[in-house]
Amino acid sequence: GVIGVTQALLIERTTLIGAPLWRILAVLPLAVPPYVLGICTLALFRPRGIVERMLVTAQWVEYGDIPFDAIFGVGGSAVLLAFCLSPYVYLPVAAVLRQGSQHFHELAQLSGAGWFHRFRHVVLPVLAPAAGGGMLLVMLYALADFGVPALLRLPTFSTAIYGRFAGQVDRAGAALLSVPLIICTIGLIWLEERLVGRSSAQINRSWRPLRLRRLGGWQGLAQLCLGLVSGGALVLPIATLVYWTIVTPSASELASITPLGQLFVIGTRTIGYVMVIASITTL
């Protein structure tokens, strides 16, 4: 919620430099599967991973001086999923901000309300349904996600169900563990419907677009905040994958592992079923 709402406010309500580019970058994390980001993060920041080996090779630290094992568990999983799933909050909040009217802010100003009072009583009530609905979508995704918790050693319903079914072939145990997960999911869906039902649009015949707030000296800090999210969700996994491509394996080794023809078939099938799903969803 913090990441998505902050991105939307900075991009849609301020004189942010490069706002059209940031609109694209804010949504692009959806294109990176969370488990891919998890694999790259694990390779970089696990104990004796790429980063620690580089620091030890440079003789800046010794093994164990930095607690790299902190990426395991709730903290690391939460940060990775937050970076990947923040567009689910950004998109609805940005849509609400784009259709907001300046009249409510002018009326609040005429009544003598300060900027914090206007933000608390004019902006937040309008954003709350969209932000809350997006956050519940993130919670639904996180409930069902398997890849990131499994990689970062976080026991969840999903990993426990998989362990019961695959490891012990305990179908009854897997089914019993699925029941509370389904109940949690139904409860979140009900909450999401209630929040969306309260949403409203500020559109009328005298509608005027919101006036952008000048960032001034805060421009650099705003760019840094947005860059940290995009860097963690996009630059980190892409740079890691490029590094692996350059270092190992070589092109010939890759061809021996997976023939290029097979890669083409896999890619074609992926694009095909994505187009089918998008068409059905749109219809």
Side-chain angles (χ1 to χ4, degrees), residues 32-270:
V32 180
Y35 64 84
V36 172
L37 179 58
I39 290 171
C40 295
T41 303
L42 199 61
L44 287 170
F45 299 110
R46 74 178 190 277
R48 296 184 179 269
I50 295 174
V51 172
E52 188 172 22
R53 290 202 306 269
M54 291 174 64
L55 293 175
V56 171
T57 302
Q59 297 183 346
W60 290 350
V61 299
E62 296 293 333
Y63 283 116
D65 287 351
I66 302 177
F68 282 100
D69 55 352
I71 68 168
F72 297 112
V74 175
S77 302
V79 170
L80 290 188
L81 284 177
F83 277 9
C84 290
L85 305 181
S86 60
Y88 285 121
V89 178
Y90 163 76
L91 285 170
V93 173
V96 170
L97 287 173
R98 278 195 290 270
Q99 66 183 10
S101 177
Q102 181 65 23
H103 284 86
F104 288 89
H105 296 270
E106 292 173 348
L107 289 171
Q109 275 185 305
L110 288 173
S111 68
W115 72 268
F116 181 78
H117 190 84
R118 296 199 304 271
F119 181 78
R120 170 68 181 82
H121 295 283
V122 178
V123 178
L124 285 185
V126 176
L127 298 184
M135 290 165 66
L136 286 171
L137 283 175
V138 172
M139 292 174 69
L140 284 170
Y141 188 102
L143 271 177
D145 188 63
F146 172 80
V148 171
L151 286 168
L152 299 184
R153 306 175 189 174
L154 175 66
T156 63
F157 273 122
S158 297
T159 57
I161 291 167
Y162 178 82
R164 284 281 184 177
F165 191 80
Q168 305 173 23
V169 197
D170 182 8
R171 292 182 175 85
L176 286 173
L177 285 172
S178 300
V179 172
L181 180 60
I182 292 171
I183 292 173
C184 292
T185 303
I186 292 173
L188 289 176
I189 292 173
W190 179 79
L191 282 174
E192 199 267 344
E193 291 293 332
R194 292 289 301 272
L195 277 173
V196 172
R198 296 179 183 178
S199 61
S200 60
Q202 302 177 15
I203 299 178
N204 51 47
R205 286 181 296 177
S206 60
W207 178 87
R208 291 208 315 274
L210 289 166
R211 188 179 299 118
L212 299 180
R213 293 184 63 87
R214 293 188 176 276
L215 284 176
W218 296 97
Q219 184 75 235
L221 181 61
Q223 299 283 347
L224 177 63
C225 291
L226 294 172
L228 286 175
V229 178
S230 296
L234 297 171
V235 177
L236 186 145
I238 293 173
T240 305
L241 294 173
V242 170
Y243 170 80
W244 281 340
T245 304
I246 294 173
V247 177
T248 57
S250 64
S252 59
E253 291 172 334
L254 180 62
S256 65
I257 296 170
T258 305
L260 294 179
Q262 186 178 348
L263 287 176
F264 178 77
V265 171
I266 293 172
T268 304
R269 285 177 180 170
T270 302

